[in-house]
Amino acid sequence: MAEIGKVVLDKGWQAARSTEIELTGVQLTTTHPPSAPPTSPWMEAVVPGTVLATLVKNKLVPDPFYGLENEAILDIADSGREHYTFWFFTTFECDLSNNQHTDLNFRAINYSAEVYLNGHKEILPKGMFRRHSIDVTSILHHDGPNLLAVLVHPPDHPGRIPPEGGQGGDHEIGKDVAAQYVEGWDWIAPIRDRNTGIWDEVSISVTGPVKIVDPHLVSSFFDNYKRVYLHTTTDLVNNSALVAECSLNIQVATELQGNIYSVERLQTQNLSIPAGAHVQYTFPELFFYKPNLWWPNGMGKQSLYNVEITIDVKGFGESDLWSQHFGFRKIESYIDGATGGRLFKVNGEPIFIRGGNWILSDGLLRLSKKRYQADIKFHADMNFNMLRCWGGGLAERPDFYGYCDIYGILVWQEFWITGDVDGRGVPVSNPDGPLDHELFLLCARDTIKLLRNHPSLALWVGGNEQVPPADINSALKTYLKLHPYFENLSSNGIPKKETSPLFKDPSQYLDGTRVYVQGSMWDGFADGNGDFTDGPYEIQNPEDFFKEDFYKYGFNPEVGSVGMPVAATIRATMPPEGWEIPLFIKLPNGYVKEVANPIWIYHKYIPYSKPEQNVQDQILLYEIPKDLDDFCLKAQLVNYIQYRALLEGWTSRMWSKYTGVLIWKTQNPWTGLRGQFYDHLHDQTAGFYGCRSAAEPIHVQLNLATYYIEVVNTTSKELSNVAIEASIWNLDGICPYHKVSETLTIPSKRTVPIFEMKYPKSENAKPVYFLLLKLYNISDYGILSRNFYWLHLPGGDYKLLEPYRKKKIPLKITSQALIRGSTYEVQMHVENTSKKPDLRSLIDKNVFTKSTNFGDYDTSSSELPSVTQKKHKMSLFRMIQRNFSKELNNLKVTNINGNEDGVAFFLHFSVHASEKDQKEGEDTRILPVHYSDNYFSLVPGEEMPITISFEVPPGISPRVTLHGWNYQGGHTVTEF
């Protein structure tokens, strides 16, 4: 008897090009299966993944993300669709008992497929964003392997790439319901197979006579969020030929620790389901008093309950099980009357949106829980609270949303429409969207059902810079019509009366809980009318972000800039001819134009100058770079300043002018060179830490236009009994300016200017200087926010920092490691031991205060739940063992000697394989790594705690190195 639940089929897959296989699907799954291990033309397949991912894995094509190798791969427009039509094959076992049933499930295939199981054929219809489920009960082998072969066909209209490239190539891909970025964009090269493949989870699910299908969970709140109801509706399918007498159960539990749950509510309902029937059942609502609420990152904890639905059939026992992590929260959205921007409320609290645009994790769709977790945690680490899933990319996967639930990232999900492919562009594209509108709507309905239970999902949007065709737009409005309870805000945010209990249960809607907006520049975004009023997308003068006329509208859905990675990434992703830095050509107007090498241009490099907009090259402000390492280091200085200024500029006018901003974009699904805070290898740029600083829920900042010190309080509580310490440091290690403010009170959700920085106007102001700001609690000197600037006088530059690199500033670094298996957590304590002037400061140790008002995700419980297996209680012994099975390394102290006083500038850690493990020319970095801070600076006498966490590949010993402006070449500070 097979166990009730789901088994994921993600191992043992083989693949072969269809034109190289003379056998039929029936023969492959009966008399002539591929041999194991695979022999030519069969190869090991990447599932989930794509044809191109499989070819790259088997080294049959070069890595399309390396250098110009993508140009050496045959494009589907030239090869024909047959070249990327592939067989995928695997086997599995499933021993059913009487009255058990099995479905074969494909969560997504691009674009259509023929499925053969044990000689039986099934056609999977077209559409990249739809689930397929096949009842295979009658054709399973119960006493041996089941042979599964899938012939996957590419999109019907893969298109051709014009010589000049363009947004979405020739736009033919828009005729299909598929991802549109695959024909190339201004941030990515074309994907040669157009993402053909089994690109999401394949599974078999075993049930008894009755199965549970697509439950819908909705929470409603009354009495100021004290009285909460859980509404649940589910479809039930009776696969048997008899009436099923059922006991339907719903259980809501909270996780106490590990896999130990406390049951909050349990309800059982008895019902009869006719033979062969598909019915919908709505549970009586479950009442909760003051449950723990789910909050976005920066507003509170991401409390999640485990909702489990089971069905028992008389004479059989447990027939099916479904579970989902669920957060009690209410999202509201309307156009703000004061700013004209779209405003979001969560649990009645306005949230100032600071987030980014998301394309997808990997351009070859090598998607995994592990990669998704790193991606989403990175965004939470940056203090972001929203991601926009852009319309030319994916309907993101449940794993993506699962981690957004855990880390508190709101998600704006677009459907598969873009302005470039669905209405404009060169050549002008078809405004009528895909050829098959009903297919589009089928995929939309299925996507809504797939994602609707996630608390992180905040908004549905029709398309990117385009409204869907009228019939599709009208249908989406109908599908996503709000239940009356969720219409309790009028357009200006004034509460309406509470909903009558006579209304239909909200869980019976397709969604009913989230606003639908027809396009990314409509209805409170950009100018609200669809005109091109987002952007800009290039380098800016940092002070411009703070100016009144920089951006006119309340919510900017896209504003972008540079994104150069570190030098190690360039060397890892490009041949030596790609290591040449740009030429700097001075123009007649005195500004500089960058001319990059062809490989950088291919990888969509965006310059650090904008002569036509009077923006000097921001890298040259630090002196002409000598080589790749110098260029990339100076680029990180610019990245940090650029993105910190962008977010601080928006936050400076929080609620008075702006309701939010989304940066274009946060990451690259390939080895691109623009608009990213971490590269495709998962190494962060310094812009990551500029954002992390600027987006703190409580933040102290310098307004670069007015030179006023400002305090930002985005939390729901007043900030009282705090003060600001401001100190100026020159390149000689002297502090000519030190000021401590009076005791301050900062209202909730306000940005308040405190005092003007007068130093730049003083007679003895230095051309280049450092500014250190600290906001702290007066009661215990706990640091709420620390912000460090390097500045030059108006009209100047940073060239004096170049000789400053030769200054040897002494450091003391203490490290201690907690090791659990392959996971390391290293506590670093860094101290600038050069002599500090007597400032009578008590906050040099930087003891940071963690406010209870904002984000507190727990990384120890950040694994996604299984939705098909019951949670078993962990024994007390195992729980103790889990919590204490950590090896504590001895304390290690490293001194970096120096005999000069001054600021230890732009320090950054990295983690590498030990020297004995590294091979010549190989990238030694261990990635991803999570740092509590990086690219930081320390004034004389100042100390900083840094936490570093990472996972080490098998057989590798890690070491942590320190680099910095004054510390060239890197110093190994601890080795394991």
Side-chain angles (χ1 to χ4, degrees), residues 1 128 503 543 585 703 817 859 888:
M1 180 175 179
M128 185 174 180
F503 284 117
E543 63 272 16
I585 300 175
N703 186 312
T859 56
L888 186 64

Side-chain angles (χ1 to χ4, degrees), residues 62-81:
D63 182 351
F65 296 174
Y66 184 84
L68 299 177
E69 299 290 4
N70 193 51
E71 290 297 284
I73 301 174
L74 194 58
D75 192 81
I76 194 171
D78 302 311
S79 68
R81 293 173 68 246

Side-chain angles (χ1 to χ4, degrees), residues 80 654 738 766 852 935:
M654 176 176 67
H738 179 258
K766 299 293 184 180
T852 57
Y935 293 97

Side-chain angles (χ1 to χ4, degrees), residues 294-303 346-347 349-354 379-386 404-410 654 692 695-699 712-717 748-749 850-857:
W294 183 94
W295 292 96
N297 188 34
M299 293 183 72
K301 292 188 177 183
Q302 291 74 54
S303 299
V346 179
N347 303 332
E349 294 282 348
I351 175 171
F352 188 69
I353 298 296
R354 290 173 293 185
H379 288 83
D381 287 346
M382 283 189 284
N383 292 309
F384 282 178
N385 53 31
M386 179 175 277
C404 288
D405 295 344
I406 288 170
Y407 292 117
I409 306 297
L410 296 172
M654 176 176 67
R692 181 186 179 94
E696 293 174 309
I698 296 172
H699 182 61
V712 179
N713 180 10
T714 67
T715 74
S716 58
K717 294 184 179 179
S748 166
K749 302 186 187 304
K850 180 72 172 179
S851 170
T852 57
N853 292 323
F854 47 87
D856 191 18
Y857 49 80

Side-chain angles (χ1 to χ4, degrees), residues 22-94:
E22 296 180 355
L23 300 169
T24 66
V26 172
Q27 291 172 314
L28 287 172
T29 58
T30 54
T31 58
H32 292 80
S35 60
T39 56
S40 183
W42 292 94
M43 66 194 83
E44 186 181 352
V46 178
V47 176
T50 61
V51 168
L52 191 53
T54 290
L55 294 172
V56 170
K57 180 181 180 65
N58 290 276
K59 296 183 167 47
L60 295 175
V61 297
D63 182 351
F65 296 174
Y66 184 84
L68 299 177
E69 299 290 4
N70 193 51
E71 290 297 284
I73 301 174
L74 194 58
D75 192 81
I76 194 171
D78 302 311
S79 68
R81 293 173 68 246
E82 296 78 10
H83 186 75
Y84 288 108
T85 300
F86 263 61
W87 282 106
F88 291 85
F89 178 89
T90 192
T91 65
F92 63 91
E93 294 189 359
C94 184

Side-chain angles (χ1 to χ4, degrees), residues 751-825:
T751 299
V752 181
I754 305 300
F755 60 85
E756 184 181 5
M757 274 294 305
K758 300 284 184 68
Y759 178 79
K761 300 177 182 178
S762 66
E763 293 183 4
N764 299 319
K766 299 293 184 180
V768 176
Y769 59 97
F770 303 111
L771 168 64
L772 177 60
L773 300 177
K774 293 184 181 183
L775 177 69
Y776 64 96
N777 284 317
I778 292 175
S779 59
D780 60 2
Y781 298 99
I783 303 295
L784 293 167
S785 174
R786 176 188 183 276
N787 204 348
F788 181 89
Y789 296 82
W790 51 103
L791 301 164
H792 60 70
L793 295 181
D797 55 41
Y798 295 111
K799 288 186 173 64
L800 286 177
L801 285 175
E802 187 65 29
Y804 188 72
R805 297 169 87 158
K806 298 178 181 178
K807 260 200 157 184
K808 302 302 179 187
I809 312 298
L811 291 178
K812 179 182 179 181
I813 304 166
T814 305
S815 62
Q816 192 170 30
L818 296 173
I819 305 171
R820 185 171 62 207
S822 61
T823 301
Y824 287 66
E825 182 176 297

Side-chain angles (χ1 to χ4, degrees), residues 537-646:
Y537 299 92
E538 306 88 8
I539 193 79
Q540 305 293 321
N541 293 310
E543 63 272 16
D544 290 348
F545 291 113
F546 294 84
K547 294 179 179 176
E548 173 66 32
D549 61 353
F550 181 74
Y551 187 70
K552 292 172 56 176
Y553 307 104
F555 194 121
N556 194 340
E558 294 184 16
V559 56
S561 191
V562 292
M564 192 66 186
V566 299
T569 292
I570 296 297
R571 292 192 175 95
T573 59
M574 296 180 186
E577 54 267 33
W579 305 352
E580 296 295 325
I581 65 175
L583 299 174
F584 299 96
I585 300 175
K586 194 164 187 178
L587 302 177
N589 64 0
Y591 290 87
V592 169
K593 176 182 178 181
E594 290 185 18
V595 179
N597 70 64
I599 299 179
W600 286 24
I601 292 171
Y602 190 81
H603 286 255
K604 314 298 184 178
Y605 173 75
I606 186 168
Y608 281 71
S609 64
K610 193 168 66 169
E612 64 277 10
Q613 296 295 324
N614 299 329
V615 179
Q616 285 284 13
D617 193 290
Q618 299 294 290
I619 288 178
L620 293 187
L621 293 178
Y622 297 90
E623 198 60 82
I624 297 174
K626 301 184 290 293
D627 53 25
L628 179 66
D629 291 283
D630 197 25
F631 181 92
C632 289
L633 177 59
K634 288 171 177 171
Q636 299 318 309
L637 290 163
V638 181
N639 291 345
Y640 194 107
I641 288 177
Q642 183 75 180
Y643 286 109
R644 177 177 60 182
L646 188 161

